[in-house]
Amino acid sequence: MSPDQSPAGTHIQMMERRIEQQVEAIERLKQSGQDISEAVRRLSLLQHALNEMRILLGQLSPTEQDNKRPDKTRSTPARALF
């Protein structure tokens, strides 16, 4: 499964689109002379969430470089040691 088709990759792409939409909303608010503080706060929260998702979901969303490696050298997701 390619990274673009994995559930983790899809989720990250969805968050990236939400961030783009928020940036556009901020621009519209600026142009209309409205207060952007709440929109900027939301953008910051979305960016922070995306960064956290990349850390947590990164192992589930292999990159092109990961896909080019031979099977025995591909990294596997960390497992709990219970």
Side-chain angles (χ1 to χ4, degrees):
M1 183 178 288
S2 75
D4 291 340
Q5 295 174 345
S6 74
T10 300
H11 194 62
I12 287 173
Q13 288 175 346
M14 180 188 70
M15 284 300 294
E16 288 170 340
R17 282 191 303 271
R18 289 177 69 188
I19 288 171
E20 288 172 11
Q21 291 169 350
Q22 190 64 23
V23 168
E24 291 168 1
I26 290 169
E27 280 303 312
R28 284 192 303 273
L29 289 170
K30 279 183 186 178
Q31 290 175 357
S32 66
Q34 297 182 35
D35 180 24
I36 63 168
S37 59
E38 185 62 28
V40 170
R41 186 184 73 77
R42 179 179 164 92
L43 175 61
S44 176
L45 291 172
L46 287 169
Q47 289 170 330
H48 179 73
L50 177 60
N51 290 337
E52 291 293 320
M53 281 183 216
R54 284 187 172 137
I55 291 168
L56 297 172
L57 297 178
Q59 296 175 0
L60 301 175
S61 182
T63 64
E64 283 188 38
Q65 290 291 70
D66 291 330
N67 291 331
K68 291 179 183 177
R69 289 188 196 132
D71 284 337
K72 58 186 165 188
T73 61
R74 286 187 190 158
S75 61
T76 57
R79 293 193 173 96
L81 300 173
F82 298 102

